[in-house]
């Protein structure tokens, strides 16, 4: 039966027709979950993030959900580098997910060694790494353009709230926005 279902050629045509007829008559079809478990892979994508709150993350989550409708999505949370390393170690060793989205986190060398062992597709969001598909926004250019636009409108007292630099995960977004802000002010002088 599995040979017929999986399209193998080492099945006689008579047997293939008989199996397909029984599947149709009984309205019983192979379970993709059972098939995936036998291959030790599921149609599961993991999302690893340090936070799950705020409009920005929710918009990203909504977009991911729309694109990954045919997958089960598992959220992995890690509040510090040690938790994240342990989560990555577990996910890589279990070898069950088809893909892993790492959200807003610099990849440390020990994590990189773990990820290289993974058979899952790895995508980075809001961070960049030359070995992985990376989707990120250039925060320095964005801040520069925003502040430049405000200056062009005639505003002169422009503040920035960039947050404190996040050292736990080397998350440079606030620092990059501050650079763009300063550059726009300097350029306008």
């Amino acid at each position: 039966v599995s040979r017929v279902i999986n399209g193998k050629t080492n099945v006689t045509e008579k047997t293939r027709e008989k199996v397909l007829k029984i599947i149709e008559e009984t309205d019983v079809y192979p379970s993709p979950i059972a098939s995936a478990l036998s291959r030790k892979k599921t149609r599961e994508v993991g999302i690893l993030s340090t936070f799950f709150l705020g409009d920005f993350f929710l918009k990203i989550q909504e977009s991911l959900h729309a694109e990954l409708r045919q997958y089960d999505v598992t959220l992995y949370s890690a509040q510090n580098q040690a938790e994240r390393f342990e989560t990555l170690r577990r996910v890589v060793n279990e070898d069950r997910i088809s893909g892993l989205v790492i959200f807003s986190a610099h990849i440390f060398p020990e994590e990189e060694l773990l990820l290289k062992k993974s058979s899952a597709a790895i995508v980075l969001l809001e961070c960049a790494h030359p070995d992985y598909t990376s989707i990120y926004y250039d925060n320095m250019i964005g801040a520069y353009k925003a502040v430049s636009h405000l200056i062009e409108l005639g505003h002169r007292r422009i503040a920035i709230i960039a947050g404190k630099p996040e050292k736990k995960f080397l998350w440079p977004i606030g620092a990059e926005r501050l650079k763009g802000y300063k550059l726009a002010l300097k350029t306008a002088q």
Side-chain angles (χ1 to χ4, degrees):
V1 173
S2 67
R3 289 180 185 162
V4 171
I5 291 169
N6 293 317
K8 303 288 184 190
T9 57
N10 56 345
V11 178
T12 67
E13 192 56 39
K14 182 180 176 184
T15 302
R16 182 179 315 284
E17 287 174 9
K18 187 175 180 180
V19 169
L20 292 174
K21 183 178 180 192
I22 292 170
I23 288 172
E24 188 176 323
E25 287 173 358
T26 59
D27 204 26
V28 174
Y29 293 90
S31 164
I33 293 171
S35 299
L37 289 173
S38 72
R39 293 187 316 270
K40 294 186 180 176
K41 283 285 186 183
T42 60
R43 297 190 56 77
E44 183 179 329
V45 172
I47 299 174
L48 175 61
S49 182
T50 57
F51 60 92
F52 294 104
L53 301 172
D55 289 342
F56 179 70
F57 180 79
L58 293 176
K59 293 278 186 207
I60 296 290
Q61 180 71 7
E62 188 177 286
S63 297
L64 285 171
H65 185 266
E67 290 300 317
L68 299 171
R69 283 184 303 275
Q70 70 275 22
Y71 290 89
D72 293 324
V73 176
T74 301
L75 299 177
Y76 298 102
S77 176
Q79 298 303 308
N80 57 53
Q81 187 181 355
E83 281 182 25
R84 193 173 76 181
F85 181 80
E86 183 55 33
T87 299
L88 285 172
R89 188 188 63 70
R90 184 172 39 85
V91 167
V92 168
N93 288 335
E94 286 174 355
D95 194 31
R96 291 184 43 129
I97 61 173
S98 299
L100 179 63
V101 178
I102 300 175
F103 187 69
S104 295
H106 172 80
I107 302 298
F108 291 95
E110 61 275 14
E111 294 169 336
E112 189 173 346
L113 291 173
L114 269 178
L115 293 174
K116 286 189 184 300
K117 295 178 187 176
S118 178
S119 62
I122 310 281
V123 176
L124 306 180
L125 284 180
E126 273 300 302
C127 55
H129 190 285
D131 293 343
Y132 304 105
T133 300
S134 302
I135 303 165
Y136 65 98
Y137 176 75
D138 189 327
N139 285 283
M140 188 190 87
I141 296 297
Y144 174 83
K145 287 181 177 182
V147 173
S148 295
H149 178 70
L150 292 172
I151 291 169
E152 288 171 14
L153 292 175
H155 299 282
R156 295 294 174 252
R157 296 180 66 198
I158 303 167
I160 182 169
I161 301 173
K164 66 179 181 173
E166 178 57 69
K167 295 202 184 330
K168 282 194 290 189
F169 292 106
L170 295 180
W171 199 28
I173 292 173
E176 290 174 4
R177 290 177 182 171
L178 185 58
K179 276 187 213 173
Y181 166 82
K182 288 178 178 180
L183 182 61
L185 294 177
K186 185 177 181 180
T187 303
Q189 292 176 346

